[in-house]
Amino acid sequence: MSLAGAGGDGMKFVEREAWGAPSSSPATYLPSARGVKIHYLGSPYTSRKHSLCDDYVRAVRADHLANVKENYVDIAYSALVCEHGYVFEGRGLHRQTGANGNQDLNRKDYAVCALLGSSGFTKPTDAMLNGLRDAIDWFRTHGDAGTWVGGHRDGYPTSCPGDPLYAWVKRGAPRPDGGKDDDGGTAEEKYTVKAGDTLIGIARRLNVGWNELAKVNGMKPPYTLYVGQEVRVPHTSGGPRTAPPYPGREAFVLGRRHPAVTELDRQLVRLGFTRHHDGNGYQPGPLFTEYTRRNVSDLQRSRPELASDPDGYPGPLTWELAHTLS
């Protein structure tokens, strides 16, 4: 079980293998989504210790796989969130859900299920709401999901996700602590650093510039953070995009892995430079491949500043433009 967010944002994230599923889902590839639909279990559920939550997620998957009528290939949900705020990876990023009611709806949105019942445990905790918000932001940041958020009942005849949770959805799925989310609002004056947080991850989560965040806190490279540290957050939002520090040319070597390649890939996907791939769509990852190089070359050729030498290897200007172009 990893406490570091899948995107380095401090999300309490439980990977598939950690709760007992195969490492990847066999579900159909989903290049992008309109947004995220929120679900609940729709059956009686009782509050439990967190050590028992993974048992329940495994039980949900087993129940889905045994459903002959629906013929699920995997657990139906894209992710599940327990009352303790942990996000369990379901089908995950870029995988079509099986939970939204029909194929058209499954292709339209990701599906995040709160471990919340129709009786027994029926009202979400603040930790669960934060976890749901973490999941929404994860699919937006890394799964190319749009900003729309709704309930299962939106567009499908069902009572899911229950009245208490749906009321939260209709309010825009805000964080219960008044924290900054991707839809705007008032920034927190202070943010408490969690396990796995990075300066860039916090900036993304709060929708502020990482360099401005560093400046107001007097931080200098290598921007070291510690768990429990209080970080002052500037009251800005919706400003221009900024790029994290350039990692160096050595990060981009054919056949080698580096975290910066995953970050670069996300920007290529965001900008639409993804025509070169292995047949399963272009997906972010740490390996710098020939497909990566060719997609970077397409980006370079699209810009007059770079078109004279579109070699596909990111230098500081390519890195900057990949992050700041809209």
Side-chain angles (χ1 to χ4, degrees):
M1 180 178 295
S2 172
L3 296 183
D9 300 337
M11 176 167 63
K12 296 187 288 189
F13 187 72
V14 186
E15 297 173 344
R16 287 173 58 89
E17 286 184 301
W19 61 262
S23 60
S24 62
S25 174
T28 301
Y29 178 72
L30 182 71
S32 62
R34 174 185 62 168
V36 177
K37 277 195 169 184
I38 302 299
H39 295 243
Y40 79 153
L41 296 168
S43 57
Y45 184 81
T46 56
S47 180
R48 62 199 63 216
K49 295 179 180 179
H50 180 61
S51 60
L52 300 177
C53 290
D54 58 346
D55 292 334
Y56 195 87
V57 174
R58 282 192 294 274
V60 172
R61 182 171 187 268
D63 182 63
H64 287 178
L65 290 175
N67 190 323
V68 177
K69 180 181 177 180
E70 296 292 346
N71 195 29
Y72 293 120
V73 299
D74 194 4
I75 192 169
Y77 303 112
S78 307
L80 303 93
V81 179
C82 72
E83 64 192 273
H84 313 282
Y86 284 73
V87 179
F88 290 81
E89 182 183 18
R91 296 192 178 192
L93 302 171
H94 293 296
R95 288 292 180 266
Q96 185 174 306
T97 181
N100 286 339
N102 59 49
Q103 288 301 309
D104 287 340
L105 294 173
N106 289 338
R107 285 189 288 265
K108 185 173 287 187
D109 301 298
Y110 289 107
V112 177
C113 181
L115 297 187
L116 199 67
S118 54
S119 62
F121 178 56
T122 61
K123 295 183 179 180
T125 63
D126 283 358
M128 173 178 276
L129 295 179
N130 271 314
L132 289 168
R133 186 70 222 192
D134 285 340
I136 292 168
D137 293 346
W138 180 52
F139 284 113
R140 288 180 178 179
T141 304
H142 305 305
D144 202 16
T147 58
W148 185 87
V149 178
H152 185 192
R153 66 177 69 177
D154 291 316
Y156 190 78
T158 175
S159 60
C160 181
D163 291 342
L165 188 54
Y166 189 62
W168 174 77
V169 171
K170 296 305 289 182
R171 292 198 306 272
R175 290 193 181 275
D177 57 5
K180 185 75 173 78
D181 58 47
D182 287 349
D183 294 328
T186 303
E188 296 174 310
E189 292 188 359
K190 290 185 178 180
Y191 174 86
T192 302
V193 175
K194 303 177 182 65
D197 273 344
T198 63
L199 179 68
I200 295 171
I202 294 172
R204 283 182 182 156
R205 183 169 186 163
L206 301 177
N207 197 26
V208 298
W210 69 268
N211 46 2
E212 181 67 15
L213 192 62
K215 181 178 179 181
V216 300
N217 286 280
M219 297 180 183
K220 299 183 182 299
Y223 306 115
T224 302
L225 301 172
Y226 59 87
V227 174
Q229 177 181 352
E230 285 195 337
V231 176
R232 293 172 55 210
V233 179
H235 289 270
T236 59
S237 64
R241 293 180 178 274
T242 57
Y246 177 61
R249 176 64 180 79
E250 63 275 10
F252 308 109
V253 178
L254 278 175
R256 294 186 183 177
R257 296 176 181 272
H258 194 282
V261 180
T262 303
E263 171 61 25
L264 173 67
D265 280 345
R266 290 171 185 147
Q267 303 309 315
L268 292 173
V269 170
R270 179 180 67 82
L271 294 171
F273 293 100
T274 59
R275 69 188 181 103
H276 303 289
H277 54 78
D278 62 4
N280 193 32
Y282 190 69
Q283 303 178 51
L287 182 65
F288 192 83
T289 68
E290 180 62 16
Y291 301 122
T292 313
R293 191 194 68 78
R294 291 181 183 181
N295 287 328
V296 172
S297 181
D298 285 349
L299 166 63
Q300 292 170 332
R301 278 195 293 270
S302 75
R303 301 298 305 177
E305 310 97 312
L306 301 167
S308 63
D309 186 24
D311 63 359
Y313 293 98
L317 182 55
T318 300
W319 178 260
E320 179 74 20
L321 289 174
H323 285 82
T324 57
L325 290 174
S326 299

